[in-house]
Amino acid sequence: MKLIVDANILFSLINPQSFTSKIIENNELELFSPEYALDELKKHEEEIISKTKIPSFKEAVIRLKKIVTFVQIEDFSSNLPLVQHLIKDEKDIIYLALAKHLNLAIWSNDSDLKEQSIIPVFITAELLEFI
């Protein structure tokens, strides 16, 4: 199954011992995220290192790039105007635009993404039921 993942899911994937990482290990999931998500994670570098016990942010990015395909915004920016009016949280528009571009569902525990109806959004519990 192919899915778009948001920054919160990425945060969880950094820790190889997390429940989210175990889901990836035990299921055939192909994950995509906008390159921009790495910039969002960088803003929380200290928290990531503290909570995940990963020695550096660089190592966190290396881990993520092994399990997630990051897509440049230039590849899907034409979809941004098509989706920007669908949800309130501006930070989520980019995930919705990428999902529309790749025609994939989103894995996110962010309830704001569920406000729209053009792209399916799975919270973790729903994803587990589905797979």
Side-chain angles (χ1 to χ4, degrees):
M1 178 177 199
K2 295 180 180 183
L3 295 164
I4 305 299
V5 291
D6 69 2
N8 290 322
I9 299 298
L10 293 172
F11 187 102
S12 296
L13 288 172
I14 292 170
N15 181 352
Q17 303 304 315
S18 73
F19 181 69
T20 304
S21 289
K22 299 300 180 200
I23 293 171
I24 299 302
E25 289 174 16
N26 297 323
N27 295 281
E28 292 184 29
L29 299 177
E30 189 175 349
L31 306 177
F32 298 85
S33 194
E35 186 82 26
Y36 163 83
L38 294 174
D39 296 335
E40 285 298 304
L41 289 174
K42 178 74 173 154
K43 294 176 186 176
H44 303 280
E45 180 176 356
E46 289 180 21
E47 181 183 3
I48 288 169
I49 292 169
S50 169
K51 289 186 175 181
T52 64
K53 308 298 187 231
I54 296 287
S56 70
F57 185 75
K58 182 179 179 180
E59 287 188 39
V61 171
I62 290 168
R63 172 168 167 69
L64 287 175
K65 287 187 173 185
K66 289 179 182 177
I67 53 182
V68 178
T69 300
F70 289 94
V71 182
Q72 298 290 327
I73 192 166
E74 295 82 24
D75 295 343
F76 63 92
S77 61
S78 62
N79 285 306
L80 289 168
L82 301 173
V83 300
Q84 67 185 11
H85 67 283
L86 298 174
I87 52 178
K88 295 175 192 166
D89 190 344
E90 290 183 11
K91 288 187 276 184
D92 291 335
I93 292 170
I94 197 160
Y95 300 104
L96 198 57
L98 179 58
K100 180 143 180 62
H101 173 71
L102 296 177
N103 197 29
L104 298 176
I106 299 172
W107 177 10
S108 171
N109 292 316
D110 187 341
S111 59
D112 288 342
L113 278 166
K114 284 195 169 262
E115 290 177 4
Q116 54 78 38
S117 60
I118 66 164
I119 300 291
V121 177
F122 294 100
I123 61 170
T124 301
E126 293 169 336
L127 181 63
L128 287 171
E129 287 178 19
F130 188 78
I131 56 176

PDB file of all heavy atoms in Angstrom, residues 79-92:
ATOM      1  N   ASN A  79      -0.764  21.570  -7.832  1.00  0.00           N
ATOM      2  CA  ASN A  79      -1.939  21.109  -7.092  1.00  0.00           C
ATOM      3  C   ASN A  79      -2.252  21.967  -5.860  1.00  0.00           C
ATOM      4  O   ASN A  79      -3.339  21.844  -5.294  1.00  0.00           O
ATOM      5  CB  ASN A  79      -1.756  19.651  -6.653  1.00  0.00           C
ATOM      6  CG  ASN A  79      -1.923  18.706  -7.803  1.00  0.00           C
ATOM      7  OD1 ASN A  79      -2.923  18.733  -8.504  1.00  0.00           O
ATOM      8  ND2 ASN A  79      -0.933  17.862  -8.016  1.00  0.00           N
ATOM      9  N   LEU A  80      -1.321  22.802  -5.455  1.00  0.00           N
ATOM     10  CA  LEU A  80      -1.557  23.625  -4.263  1.00  0.00           C
ATOM     11  C   LEU A  80      -2.801  24.504  -4.387  1.00  0.00           C
ATOM     12  O   LEU A  80      -3.635  24.513  -3.473  1.00  0.00           O
ATOM     13  CB  LEU A  80      -0.317  24.465  -3.942  1.00  0.00           C
ATOM     14  CG  LEU A  80       0.873  23.669  -3.405  1.00  0.00           C
ATOM     15  CD1 LEU A  80       2.131  24.532  -3.402  1.00  0.00           C
ATOM     16  CD2 LEU A  80       0.583  23.139  -2.019  1.00  0.00           C
ATOM     17  N   PRO A  81      -3.008  25.227  -5.496  1.00  0.00           N
ATOM     18  CA  PRO A  81      -4.218  26.045  -5.599  1.00  0.00           C
ATOM     19  C   PRO A  81      -5.508  25.222  -5.620  1.00  0.00           C
ATOM     20  O   PRO A  81      -6.560  25.701  -5.203  1.00  0.00           O
ATOM     21  CB  PRO A  81      -4.051  26.792  -6.928  1.00  0.00           C
ATOM     22  CG  PRO A  81      -2.611  26.688  -7.270  1.00  0.00           C
ATOM     23  CD  PRO A  81      -2.105  25.435  -6.628  1.00  0.00           C
ATOM     24  N   LEU A  82      -5.402  23.979  -6.069  1.00  0.00           N
ATOM     25  CA  LEU A  82      -6.589  23.124  -6.151  1.00  0.00           C
ATOM     26  C   LEU A  82      -7.086  22.663  -4.787  1.00  0.00           C
ATOM     27  O   LEU A  82      -8.263  22.341  -4.629  1.00  0.00           O
ATOM     28  CB  LEU A  82      -6.288  21.893  -7.016  1.00  0.00           C
ATOM     29  CG  LEU A  82      -5.840  22.144  -8.454  1.00  0.00           C
ATOM     30  CD1 LEU A  82      -5.427  20.837  -9.118  1.00  0.00           C
ATOM     31  CD2 LEU A  82      -6.950  22.828  -9.242  1.00  0.00           C
ATOM     32  N   VAL A  83      -6.180  22.628  -3.804  1.00  0.00           N
ATOM     33  CA  VAL A  83      -6.557  22.071  -2.501  1.00  0.00           C
ATOM     34  C   VAL A  83      -6.519  23.077  -1.353  1.00  0.00           C
ATOM     35  O   VAL A  83      -7.009  22.779  -0.268  1.00  0.00           O
ATOM     36  CB  VAL A  83      -5.665  20.851  -2.143  1.00  0.00           C
ATOM     37  CG1 VAL A  83      -5.804  19.753  -3.172  1.00  0.00           C
ATOM     38  CG2 VAL A  83      -4.207  21.253  -1.977  1.00  0.00           C
ATOM     39  N   GLN A  84      -5.963  24.248  -1.574  1.00  0.00           N
ATOM     40  CA  GLN A  84      -5.742  25.176  -0.465  1.00  0.00           C
ATOM     41  C   GLN A  84      -7.022  25.613   0.238  1.00  0.00           C
ATOM     42  O   GLN A  84      -7.000  25.937   1.421  1.00  0.00           O
ATOM     43  CB  GLN A  84      -4.934  26.382  -0.909  1.00  0.00           C
ATOM     44  CG  GLN A  84      -5.630  27.288  -1.882  1.00  0.00           C
ATOM     45  CD  GLN A  84      -4.682  28.390  -2.353  1.00  0.00           C
ATOM     46  OE1 GLN A  84      -3.491  28.355  -2.112  1.00  0.00           O
ATOM     47  NE2 GLN A  84      -5.243  29.364  -3.033  1.00  0.00           N
ATOM     48  N   HIS A  85      -8.137  25.588  -0.454  1.00  0.00           N
ATOM     49  CA  HIS A  85      -9.403  26.008   0.168  1.00  0.00           C
ATOM     50  C   HIS A  85     -10.101  24.872   0.918  1.00  0.00           C
ATOM     51  O   HIS A  85     -11.123  25.088   1.562  1.00  0.00           O
ATOM     52  CB  HIS A  85     -10.339  26.550  -0.910  1.00  0.00           C
ATOM     53  CG  HIS A  85     -10.793  25.497  -1.880  1.00  0.00           C
ATOM     54  ND1 HIS A  85      -9.972  25.038  -2.895  1.00  0.00           N
ATOM     55  CD2 HIS A  85     -11.949  24.796  -1.950  1.00  0.00           C
ATOM     56  CE1 HIS A  85     -10.629  24.094  -3.565  1.00  0.00           C
ATOM     57  NE2 HIS A  85     -11.824  23.940  -3.018  1.00  0.00           N
ATOM     58  N   LEU A  86      -9.542  23.673   0.876  1.00  0.00           N
ATOM     59  CA  LEU A  86     -10.222  22.505   1.445  1.00  0.00           C
ATOM     60  C   LEU A  86      -9.990  22.299   2.934  1.00  0.00           C
ATOM     61  O   LEU A  86     -10.785  21.630   3.595  1.00  0.00           O
ATOM     62  CB  LEU A  86      -9.806  21.242   0.685  1.00  0.00           C
ATOM     63  CG  LEU A  86     -10.171  21.218  -0.797  1.00  0.00           C
ATOM     64  CD1 LEU A  86      -9.584  19.985  -1.461  1.00  0.00           C
ATOM     65  CD2 LEU A  86     -11.681  21.267  -0.976  1.00  0.00           C
ATOM     66  N   ILE A  87      -8.890  22.847   3.476  1.00  0.00           N
ATOM     67  CA  ILE A  87      -8.601  22.679   4.898  1.00  0.00           C
ATOM     68  C   ILE A  87      -8.072  23.984   5.487  1.00  0.00           C
ATOM     69  O   ILE A  87      -7.532  24.821   4.781  1.00  0.00           O
ATOM     70  CB  ILE A  87      -7.587  21.535   5.162  1.00  0.00           C
ATOM     71  CG1 ILE A  87      -6.340  21.691   4.315  1.00  0.00           C
ATOM     72  CG2 ILE A  87      -8.214  20.189   4.962  1.00  0.00           C
ATOM     73  CD1 ILE A  87      -5.300  20.626   4.578  1.00  0.00           C
ATOM     74  N   LYS A  88      -8.241  24.107   6.803  1.00  0.00           N
ATOM     75  CA  LYS A  88      -7.874  25.343   7.489  1.00  0.00           C
ATOM     76  C   LYS A  88      -6.375  25.447   7.769  1.00  0.00           C
ATOM     77  O   LYS A  88      -5.808  26.521   7.655  1.00  0.00           O
ATOM     78  CB  LYS A  88      -8.625  25.434   8.819  1.00  0.00           C
ATOM     79  CG  LYS A  88     -10.118  25.558   8.667  1.00  0.00           C
ATOM     80  CD  LYS A  88     -10.781  25.525  10.025  1.00  0.00           C
ATOM     81  CE  LYS A  88     -12.271  25.342   9.858  1.00  0.00           C
ATOM     82  NZ  LYS A  88     -12.927  24.975  11.100  1.00  0.00           N
ATOM     83  N   ASP A  89      -5.762  24.362   8.173  1.00  0.00           N
ATOM     84  CA  ASP A  89      -4.360  24.391   8.592  1.00  0.00           C
ATOM     85  C   ASP A  89      -3.444  24.472   7.375  1.00  0.00           C
ATOM     86  O   ASP A  89      -3.316  23.514   6.615  1.00  0.00           O
ATOM     87  CB  ASP A  89      -4.033  23.150   9.424  1.00  0.00           C
ATOM     88  CG  ASP A  89      -2.678  23.243  10.094  1.00  0.00           C
ATOM     89  OD1 ASP A  89      -1.855  24.099   9.699  1.00  0.00           O
ATOM     90  OD2 ASP A  89      -2.434  22.450  11.015  1.00  0.00           O
ATOM     91  N   GLU A  90      -2.810  25.615   7.213  1.00  0.00           N
ATOM     92  CA  GLU A  90      -1.964  25.845   6.043  1.00  0.00           C
ATOM     93  C   GLU A  90      -0.816  24.847   5.940  1.00  0.00           C
ATOM     94  O   GLU A  90      -0.377  24.512   4.845  1.00  0.00           O
ATOM     95  CB  GLU A  90      -1.416  27.267   6.059  1.00  0.00           C
ATOM     96  CG  GLU A  90      -2.473  28.310   5.795  1.00  0.00           C
ATOM     97  CD  GLU A  90      -1.894  29.713   5.739  1.00  0.00           C
ATOM     98  OE1 GLU A  90      -0.659  29.865   5.693  1.00  0.00           O
ATOM     99  OE2 GLU A  90      -2.699  30.656   5.750  1.00  0.00           O
ATOM    100  N   LYS A  91      -0.318  24.341   7.072  1.00  0.00           N
ATOM    101  CA  LYS A  91       0.782  23.377   7.044  1.00  0.00           C
ATOM    102  C   LYS A  91       0.360  22.039   6.428  1.00  0.00           C
ATOM    103  O   LYS A  91       1.199  21.285   5.962  1.00  0.00           O
ATOM    104  CB  LYS A  91       1.335  23.150   8.445  1.00  0.00           C
ATOM    105  CG  LYS A  91       2.128  24.338   8.978  1.00  0.00           C
ATOM    106  CD  LYS A  91       2.800  24.010  10.274  1.00  0.00           C
ATOM    107  CE  LYS A  91       1.818  24.203  11.398  1.00  0.00           C
ATOM    108  NZ  LYS A  91       2.377  23.994  12.722  1.00  0.00           N
ATOM    109  N   ASP A  92      -0.929  21.762   6.423  1.00  0.00           N
ATOM    110  CA  ASP A  92      -1.415  20.485   5.884  1.00  0.00           C
ATOM    111  C   ASP A  92      -1.704  20.533   4.387  1.00  0.00           C
ATOM    112  O   ASP A  92      -1.860  19.497   3.751  1.00  0.00           O
ATOM    113  CB  ASP A  92      -2.674  20.035   6.631  1.00  0.00           C
ATOM    114  CG  ASP A  92      -2.375  19.629   8.059  1.00  0.00           C
ATOM    115  OD1 ASP A  92      -1.222  19.249   8.336  1.00  0.00           O
ATOM    116  OD2 ASP A  92      -3.290  19.690   8.893  1.00  0.00           O
TER     117      ASP A  92
END
